[in-house]
Amino acid sequence: MDDIAFQSNEAQSYLKEYGESLKEMRPFEQTNILQVSKRPNGETFTYIGSFTGYYFQVFGVDTVYLFYDQELRKAVISFEY
C-alpha cells in the first residue's frame, strides 16, 4: 500500500504544491484520477457519479467519472485507466 488517507510524504507534498485541501481530495481517494476538474476560483466541480467503462468496450477505460458545474453550465468526464 502506497498511501493511507493522503498521509504519505508524496501526498502531503502534492497537497502543498498544488494548494489542495484534504477535504477536496477525500472523495477521490479510492481512484486513480490524476486531475479533478476545477472552477477558475479553484473549487472542485460537483461529483455526480461514475460507471465502469470496460463493460462498454473491451480494452477501454476502467472507470468514467462525471463532474458538473451548474454556474458554468459545464459537464466534464474523467477517465481512470
Side-chain angles (χ1 to χ4, degrees):
M1 189 172 297
D2 294 330
D3 187 39
I4 297 175
F6 299 106
Q7 297 305 308
S8 69
N9 290 337
E10 183 179 345
Q12 290 297 309
S13 175
Y14 174 87
L15 292 172
K16 288 177 187 170
E17 182 177 348
Y18 293 99
E20 301 285 354
S21 72
L22 195 55
K23 181 182 177 184
E24 288 179 319
M25 297 297 289
R26 286 264 183 224
F28 312 104
E29 68 182 325
Q30 300 300 320
T31 72
N32 290 326
I33 295 178
L34 299 177
Q35 187 174 17
V36 177
S37 300
K38 295 189 175 195
R39 300 172 70 190
N41 67 2
E43 292 178 5
T44 304
F45 276 32
T46 302
Y47 171 68
I48 302 299
S50 65
F51 62 88
T52 303
Y54 55 80
Y55 288 142
F56 300 102
Q57 180 180 359
V58 177
F59 306 114
V61 299
D62 292 334
T63 308
V64 178
Y65 296 89
L66 176 62
F67 299 89
Y68 181 72
D69 185 278
Q70 187 171 4
E71 183 179 316
L72 297 175
R73 297 184 61 195
K74 286 188 177 183
V76 177
I77 57 172
S78 296
F79 301 118
E80 176 183 289
Y81 290 91

